[in-house]
Amino acid sequence: MPQINDHYLKLKAGYLFPEIGRRVSAFTEANPEAAKNLIRCGIGDVTEPLPEACRNAMHAAIDDLGTRKDFHGYGPEQGYAFLREAIADNQFQKINISADEIFISDGAKCDTGNILDIFGPGNKIVITDPVYPVYVDTNVMAGNTGDSDEAGNYDGLLYLPCTAENDFVPAIPTGEKIDLIYLCYPNNPTGTTISREQLTAWVAFAKENDAIILYDAAYEAFIREDGVPHSIFEIDGARDCAIEFRSFSKNAGFTGVRCAYTIIPKSLTGKTVNDERQAIHPLWSRRQSTKFNGASYPIQRGAEAVFSDAGKKQVKNLVDHYMGNADLIRETCLKAGLTVYGGINSPYVWVACPDGIDSWAMFDKMLNELNVVVTPGSGFGAAGEGYFRISAFNTKENVEEVCRRISKSLSQ
Ligand code: MLT
């Protein structure tokens, strides 16, 4: 009988979003009438049509595949040069990242999980709390943790609480040797940002400790305030201590289409078991060549169109649409007397549960009384307890209706 990967058995019952899905299905079955009014503001899934520029490019790419001359079979595993160059030209020219440091993939979720393939065992890993659950679960799967305690925290990971007291930016750890640090800004789930000074301090810490920051910037397009860093590579020295993950999912509506990219500077190094420095870039390249055959050609053409003049306008309209929703949600919650964070440079609004209710009880209340699906803060980690997240990814009509229900039922 084959031995299974026992580490999977350490995982908590379900990944957060399928667990929410199960609870919503149970509600829908038990309350078919109320379920007709259900509005989903749980998982951050886009609702608006794909930008026309992307659709046109994808149609044209499909037509290419219908001719022998422009047919494309297996593409480069690292992504087509046309897309890597478009990203470098449009997003990284001023911050010195070249096209061949950009790896195209089918999702930032996959990349943030798969990246552990190229790191060995025994690394000291830092996780912020609350956190996007993928970082934790993939470390459990990889055998980088022990079991979880009652609060759900896994032995072996160093959790840094992100709370209202520290503006949701974790204090830099002292006195411990750290190897890998996951940071995500604008943050999922709290919707908050990190300042340039704070990110500079993290980069300095990583350099001093020979650590690597795994920087998830999937929500950078939603930054509206000046001065908030969009990329860790805006910080001097980050080329030597950071990997950045980005996505077309949220800005251009590619959650179902699937296209993302990961930036690994050529100057980034880790160490071998013999304590020799080894560049990370060729390891990831090798990993992708072996386990991945590239995002599909029409999808990469669609992603390239994000950077056309028309694409830029259409993506901006999408971002403005979702951020208009975030404004409405924030204002409504504030008027209702709730304590609210995020939602200014992010499509997520992080709300303190009223009356000392816990996160799952608040989830149930929102589901049963308001017929609105939210995400319970504790699903993102122990420090998320007492909060819930409202996603602004929705139609204007739905968000207006959610706001009416919040004003009616939650006003204090
Ligand atoms: C979320 O709701 O946190 C995200 O949609 C999850 C994801 O991007 O995978």
Side-chain angles (χ1 to χ4, degrees):
M1 198 166 12
Q3 170 82 46
I4 55 135
N5 178 348
D6 269 87
H7 301 303
Y8 277 64
L9 305 181
K10 295 180 202 159
L11 291 166
K12 278 168 271 162
Y15 180 60
L16 173 63
F17 294 106
E19 173 60 24
I20 290 173
R22 267 193 294 282
R23 289 188 186 220
V24 172
S25 302
F27 169 81
T28 307
E29 253 171 58
N31 307 280
E33 270 314 301
K36 289 184 189 149
N37 300 322
L38 198 68
I39 302 179
R40 290 166 199 271
C41 298
I43 191 163
D45 196 2
V46 293
T47 54
E48 302 308 294
L50 213 57
E52 191 185 5
C54 301
R55 282 182 281 128
N56 288 344
M58 287 159 76
H59 281 300
I62 295 283
D63 288 339
D64 285 350
L65 299 182
T67 67
R68 186 158 289 126
K69 179 169 84 54
D70 292 320
F71 179 77
H72 286 72
Y74 291 128
E77 295 88 351
Q78 294 73 17
Y80 283 103
F82 62 75
L83 180 54
R84 301 172 90 187
E85 279 159 17
I87 294 168
D89 288 350
N90 284 279
Q91 298 194 314
F92 292 104
Q93 209 170 38
K94 288 197 198 116
I95 45 181
N96 195 24
I97 292 289
S98 60
D100 60 0
E101 293 175 314
I102 299 169
F103 293 84
I104 310 300
S105 77
D106 59 351
K109 179 179 183 173
C110 324
D111 284 357
T112 54
N114 291 332
I115 200 75
L116 291 175
D117 274 10
I118 59 169
F119 292 104
N123 284 319
K124 187 73 195 169
I125 296 165
V126 167
I127 299 271
T128 57
D129 177 14
V131 75
Y132 180 43
V134 172
Y135 315 151
V136 175
D137 286 3
T138 52
N139 271 290
V140 176
M141 291 170 176
N144 291 339
T145 74
D147 290 322
S148 60
D149 62 16
E150 260 168 40
N153 287 350
Y154 287 91
D155 198 25
L157 296 179
L158 178 63
Y159 290 85
L160 299 184
C162 293
T163 60
E165 288 69 44
N166 62 18
D167 281 333
F168 303 96
V169 175
I172 291 179
T174 49
E176 268 190 86
K177 178 80 191 86
I178 305 293
D179 300 299
L180 289 176
I181 302 153
Y182 288 84
L183 293 180
C184 170
Y185 287 100
N187 185 252
N188 181 14
T190 64
T192 54
T193 52
I194 192 165
S195 71
R196 188 169 302 278
E197 294 68 34
Q198 288 164 325
L199 193 52
T200 302
W202 271 102
V203 166
F205 171 78
K207 285 198 71 165
E208 271 159 35
N209 286 272
D210 243 333
I212 292 181
I213 298 175
L214 302 173
Y215 195 74
D216 187 345
Y219 297 92
E220 67 76 31
F222 296 87
I223 294 173
R224 292 188 289 186
E225 290 181 319
D226 289 340
V228 177
H230 286 244
S231 167
I232 194 167
F233 298 117
E234 291 172 28
I235 310 296
D236 276 348
R239 279 188 57 89
D240 302 326
C241 66
I243 291 175
E244 181 164 301
F245 304 95
R246 287 201 181 195
S247 173
F248 293 103
S249 282
K250 313 288 164 142
N251 60 341
F254 274 48
T255 53
V257 174
R258 310 304 305 150
C259 197
Y261 46 107
T262 288
I263 299 109
I264 306 192
K266 290 193 171 157
S267 47
L268 185 71
T269 54
K271 67 168 193 232
T272 67
V273 281
N274 300 324
D275 259 344
E276 282 153 10
R277 272 192 189 275
Q278 163 65 45
I280 299 287
H281 184 282
L283 302 184
W284 184 246
S285 191
R286 185 72 174 79
R287 190 259 170 221
Q288 294 298 79
S289 307
T290 300
K291 292 196 180 181
F292 185 55
N293 258 330
S296 85
Y297 171 71
I299 301 302
Q300 292 194 59
R301 281 292 184 202
E304 180 192 22
V306 163
F307 302 107
S308 64
D309 288 345
K312 282 180 191 163
K313 274 196 207 109
Q314 291 158 15
V315 166
K316 181 174 181 314
N317 288 343
L318 279 179
V319 168
D320 287 349
H321 164 82
Y322 293 123
M323 291 312 292
N325 288 349
D327 288 340
L328 267 180
I329 296 168
R330 256 185 73 83
E331 282 156 21
T332 303
C333 290
L334 284 170
K335 271 200 199 122
L338 297 164
T339 305
V340 175
Y341 303 94
I344 294 172
N345 297 296
S346 153
Y348 295 133
V349 181
W350 187 243
V351 189
C353 303
D355 308 325
I357 305 177
D358 75 29
S359 295
W360 276 109
M362 192 65 199
F363 170 88
D364 288 335
K365 181 181 168 71
M366 294 292 287
L367 181 60
N368 291 303
E369 294 174 21
L370 283 73
N371 304 148
V372 173
V373 180
V374 294
T375 311
S378 58
F380 297 103
E385 183 54 272
Y387 290 91
F388 64 103
R389 191 192 77 176
I390 308 178
S391 161
F393 289 113
N394 220 314
T395 61
K396 182 66 85 220
E397 297 69 37
N398 275 351
V399 166
E400 284 170 351
E401 177 56 23
V402 165
C403 289
R404 271 192 288 277
R405 295 181 196 175
I406 290 176
S407 301
K408 191 159 158 251
S409 305
L410 298 185
S411 289
Q412 318 213 323

